Amino acid sequence: TRRSSDLAFNTGNYDQAAALFAPDGALMSPHHDPAYGPQSVERLLRHFGDVGYQDLRLETVRVESAGDLAMEIGRYTVAIHKSDGTIRGDRGKYLKTWKRLGAWLILADSWSSNLPVPR
């Protein structure tokens, strides 16, 4: 069964979400350097939580696999709670690559917004 990274993120269990990454797995998010490996991924996810990212929802649109590799394409929505009390919604797309290393683990996860950069 697929473990739910959005549930782990939304409940503040950043270590559980990061545990889905391979030892050299990369989380590549906009406006940040890539995070490599579960510990760095956990720190980056915690940063997003600390700056107000909440209510993450992931929807898988397509999965293709060949042997021990798989590709997942999907879309996301997230609410960003700002320090002034406002909430900004974001939505976009993501691409993950998975590798079976005993369990299926994320080799790379990259996402980007569909919305213009807020001013």
PDB file of all heavy atoms in Angstrom, residues 101-117:
ATOM      1  N   LEU A 101      13.625  -0.402  -3.528  1.00  0.00           N
ATOM      2  CA  LEU A 101      14.849  -0.707  -2.775  1.00  0.00           C
ATOM      3  C   LEU A 101      14.405  -1.513  -1.559  1.00  0.00           C
ATOM      4  O   LEU A 101      14.495  -1.065  -0.431  1.00  0.00           O
ATOM      5  CB  LEU A 101      15.553   0.586  -2.343  1.00  0.00           C
ATOM      6  CG  LEU A 101      16.010   1.503  -3.473  1.00  0.00           C
ATOM      7  CD1 LEU A 101      16.347   2.893  -2.961  1.00  0.00           C
ATOM      8  CD2 LEU A 101      17.210   0.878  -4.173  1.00  0.00           C
ATOM      9  N   GLY A 102      13.866  -2.696  -1.798  1.00  0.00           N
ATOM     10  CA  GLY A 102      13.127  -3.428  -0.767  1.00  0.00           C
ATOM     11  C   GLY A 102      11.712  -2.877  -0.794  1.00  0.00           C
ATOM     12  O   GLY A 102      10.808  -3.462  -1.367  1.00  0.00           O
ATOM     13  N   ALA A 103      11.518  -1.692  -0.234  1.00  0.00           N
ATOM     14  CA  ALA A 103      10.256  -0.939  -0.339  1.00  0.00           C
ATOM     15  C   ALA A 103      10.413   0.083  -1.468  1.00  0.00           C
ATOM     16  O   ALA A 103      11.524   0.389  -1.899  1.00  0.00           O
ATOM     17  CB  ALA A 103       9.964  -0.225   0.977  1.00  0.00           C
ATOM     18  N   TRP A 104       9.289   0.611  -1.931  1.00  0.00           N
ATOM     19  CA  TRP A 104       9.341   1.687  -2.916  1.00  0.00           C
ATOM     20  C   TRP A 104       9.715   2.979  -2.201  1.00  0.00           C
ATOM     21  O   TRP A 104       9.045   3.383  -1.247  1.00  0.00           O
ATOM     22  CB  TRP A 104       7.988   1.844  -3.615  1.00  0.00           C
ATOM     23  CG  TRP A 104       7.729   0.791  -4.628  1.00  0.00           C
ATOM     24  CD1 TRP A 104       7.023  -0.361  -4.447  1.00  0.00           C
ATOM     25  CD2 TRP A 104       8.179   0.778  -5.982  1.00  0.00           C
ATOM     26  NE1 TRP A 104       7.004  -1.092  -5.606  1.00  0.00           N
ATOM     27  CE2 TRP A 104       7.708  -0.418  -6.575  1.00  0.00           C
ATOM     28  CE3 TRP A 104       8.935   1.645  -6.749  1.00  0.00           C
ATOM     29  CZ2 TRP A 104       7.973  -0.750  -7.895  1.00  0.00           C
ATOM     30  CZ3 TRP A 104       9.198   1.315  -8.071  1.00  0.00           C
ATOM     31  CH2 TRP A 104       8.719   0.132  -8.629  1.00  0.00           C
ATOM     32  N   LEU A 105      10.798   3.621  -2.651  1.00  0.00           N
ATOM     33  CA  LEU A 105      11.264   4.875  -2.061  1.00  0.00           C
ATOM     34  C   LEU A 105      11.405   5.926  -3.156  1.00  0.00           C
ATOM     35  O   LEU A 105      11.634   5.608  -4.328  1.00  0.00           O
ATOM     36  CB  LEU A 105      12.605   4.672  -1.355  1.00  0.00           C
ATOM     37  CG  LEU A 105      12.584   3.722  -0.159  1.00  0.00           C
ATOM     38  CD1 LEU A 105      14.000   3.534   0.384  1.00  0.00           C
ATOM     39  CD2 LEU A 105      11.655   4.239   0.937  1.00  0.00           C
ATOM     40  N   ILE A 106      11.299   7.191  -2.758  1.00  0.00           N
ATOM     41  CA  ILE A 106      11.359   8.301  -3.706  1.00  0.00           C
ATOM     42  C   ILE A 106      12.820   8.620  -4.031  1.00  0.00           C
ATOM     43  O   ILE A 106      13.626   8.859  -3.133  1.00  0.00           O
ATOM     44  CB  ILE A 106      10.662   9.547  -3.123  1.00  0.00           C
ATOM     45  CG1 ILE A 106       9.184   9.252  -2.852  1.00  0.00           C
ATOM     46  CG2 ILE A 106      10.822  10.742  -4.065  1.00  0.00           C
ATOM     47  CD1 ILE A 106       8.477  10.322  -2.028  1.00  0.00           C
ATOM     48  N   LEU A 107      13.136   8.616  -5.324  1.00  0.00           N
ATOM     49  CA  LEU A 107      14.457   9.057  -5.792  1.00  0.00           C
ATOM     50  C   LEU A 107      14.465  10.558  -6.004  1.00  0.00           C
ATOM     51  O   LEU A 107      15.459  11.226  -5.742  1.00  0.00           O
ATOM     52  CB  LEU A 107      14.823   8.377  -7.108  1.00  0.00           C
ATOM     53  CG  LEU A 107      15.180   6.907  -7.070  1.00  0.00           C
ATOM     54  CD1 LEU A 107      15.493   6.410  -8.478  1.00  0.00           C
ATOM     55  CD2 LEU A 107      16.368   6.674  -6.154  1.00  0.00           C
ATOM     56  N   ALA A 108      13.365  11.092  -6.534  1.00  0.00           N
ATOM     57  CA  ALA A 108      13.278  12.527  -6.798  1.00  0.00           C
ATOM     58  C   ALA A 108      11.818  12.949  -6.743  1.00  0.00           C
ATOM     59  O   ALA A 108      10.939  12.237  -7.228  1.00  0.00           O
ATOM     60  CB  ALA A 108      13.872  12.864  -8.158  1.00  0.00           C
ATOM     61  N   ASP A 109      11.595  14.109  -6.146  1.00  0.00           N
ATOM     62  CA  ASP A 109      10.258  14.692  -6.047  1.00  0.00           C
ATOM     63  C   ASP A 109      10.412  16.169  -6.355  1.00  0.00           C
ATOM     64  O   ASP A 109      11.203  16.869  -5.720  1.00  0.00           O
ATOM     65  CB  ASP A 109       9.721  14.491  -4.624  1.00  0.00           C
ATOM     66  CG  ASP A 109       8.287  14.993  -4.440  1.00  0.00           C
ATOM     67  OD1 ASP A 109       7.727  15.600  -5.364  1.00  0.00           O
ATOM     68  OD2 ASP A 109       7.751  14.774  -3.342  1.00  0.00           O
ATOM     69  N   SER A 110       9.695  16.627  -7.362  1.00  0.00           N
ATOM     70  CA  SER A 110       9.773  18.024  -7.777  1.00  0.00           C
ATOM     71  C   SER A 110       8.362  18.545  -7.990  1.00  0.00           C
ATOM     72  O   SER A 110       7.503  17.831  -8.489  1.00  0.00           O
ATOM     73  CB  SER A 110      10.570  18.124  -9.079  1.00  0.00           C
ATOM     74  OG  SER A 110      10.689  19.462  -9.491  1.00  0.00           O
ATOM     75  N   TRP A 111       8.133  19.790  -7.591  1.00  0.00           N
ATOM     76  CA  TRP A 111       6.809  20.370  -7.750  1.00  0.00           C
ATOM     77  C   TRP A 111       6.923  21.831  -8.142  1.00  0.00           C
ATOM     78  O   TRP A 111       7.940  22.482  -7.900  1.00  0.00           O
ATOM     79  CB  TRP A 111       5.967  20.211  -6.492  1.00  0.00           C
ATOM     80  CG  TRP A 111       6.581  20.757  -5.227  1.00  0.00           C
ATOM     81  CD1 TRP A 111       7.473  20.130  -4.432  1.00  0.00           C
ATOM     82  CD2 TRP A 111       6.342  22.032  -4.634  1.00  0.00           C
ATOM     83  NE1 TRP A 111       7.797  20.926  -3.362  1.00  0.00           N
ATOM     84  CE2 TRP A 111       7.115  22.093  -3.458  1.00  0.00           C
ATOM     85  CE3 TRP A 111       5.540  23.119  -4.983  1.00  0.00           C
ATOM     86  CZ2 TRP A 111       7.132  23.209  -2.636  1.00  0.00           C
ATOM     87  CZ3 TRP A 111       5.544  24.217  -4.156  1.00  0.00           C
ATOM     88  CH2 TRP A 111       6.328  24.265  -2.998  1.00  0.00           C
ATOM     89  N   SER A 112       5.873  22.334  -8.780  1.00  0.00           N
ATOM     90  CA  SER A 112       5.817  23.754  -9.148  1.00  0.00           C
ATOM     91  C   SER A 112       4.370  24.211  -9.224  1.00  0.00           C
ATOM     92  O   SER A 112       3.465  23.450  -9.534  1.00  0.00           O
ATOM     93  CB  SER A 112       6.532  24.004 -10.475  1.00  0.00           C
ATOM     94  OG  SER A 112       5.886  23.330 -11.528  1.00  0.00           O
ATOM     95  N   SER A 113       4.210  25.475  -8.915  1.00  0.00           N
ATOM     96  CA  SER A 113       2.878  26.088  -8.879  1.00  0.00           C
ATOM     97  C   SER A 113       2.353  26.354 -10.276  1.00  0.00           C
ATOM     98  O   SER A 113       3.116  26.612 -11.206  1.00  0.00           O
ATOM     99  CB  SER A 113       2.962  27.403  -8.100  1.00  0.00           C
ATOM    100  OG  SER A 113       1.704  28.042  -8.077  1.00  0.00           O
ATOM    101  N   ASN A 114       1.041  26.333 -10.402  1.00  0.00           N
ATOM    102  CA  ASN A 114       0.388  26.758 -11.623  1.00  0.00           C
ATOM    103  C   ASN A 114       0.030  28.249 -11.579  1.00  0.00           C
ATOM    104  O   ASN A 114      -0.391  28.812 -12.571  1.00  0.00           O
ATOM    105  CB  ASN A 114      -0.907  25.979 -11.859  1.00  0.00           C
ATOM    106  CG  ASN A 114      -0.660  24.527 -12.184  1.00  0.00           C
ATOM    107  OD1 ASN A 114       0.445  24.124 -12.524  1.00  0.00           O
ATOM    108  ND2 ASN A 114      -1.704  23.727 -12.056  1.00  0.00           N
ATOM    109  N   LEU A 115       0.176  28.870 -10.405  1.00  0.00           N
ATOM    110  CA  LEU A 115      -0.261  30.244 -10.202  1.00  0.00           C
ATOM    111  C   LEU A 115       0.910  31.218 -10.393  1.00  0.00           C
ATOM    112  O   LEU A 115       2.064  30.851 -10.192  1.00  0.00           O
ATOM    113  CB  LEU A 115      -0.838  30.410  -8.794  1.00  0.00           C
ATOM    114  CG  LEU A 115      -1.992  29.464  -8.446  1.00  0.00           C
ATOM    115  CD1 LEU A 115      -2.460  29.725  -7.027  1.00  0.00           C
ATOM    116  CD2 LEU A 115      -3.137  29.625  -9.429  1.00  0.00           C
ATOM    117  N   PRO A 116       0.605  32.475 -10.773  1.00  0.00           N
ATOM    118  CA  PRO A 116       1.676  33.451 -10.889  1.00  0.00           C
ATOM    119  C   PRO A 116       2.326  33.704  -9.526  1.00  0.00           C
ATOM    120  O   PRO A 116       1.698  33.506  -8.483  1.00  0.00           O
ATOM    121  CB  PRO A 116       0.984  34.722 -11.393  1.00  0.00           C
ATOM    122  CG  PRO A 116      -0.470  34.434 -11.407  1.00  0.00           C
ATOM    123  CD  PRO A 116      -0.698  32.997 -11.085  1.00  0.00           C
ATOM    124  N   VAL A 117       3.567  34.142  -9.538  1.00  0.00           N
ATOM    125  CA  VAL A 117       4.277  34.459  -8.297  1.00  0.00           C
ATOM    126  C   VAL A 117       3.529  35.591  -7.591  1.00  0.00           C
ATOM    127  O   VAL A 117       3.226  36.618  -8.215  1.00  0.00           O
ATOM    128  CB  VAL A 117       5.727  34.882  -8.604  1.00  0.00           C
ATOM    129  CG1 VAL A 117       6.435  35.331  -7.338  1.00  0.00           C
ATOM    130  CG2 VAL A 117       6.475  33.750  -9.275  1.00  0.00           C
TER     131      VAL A 117
END
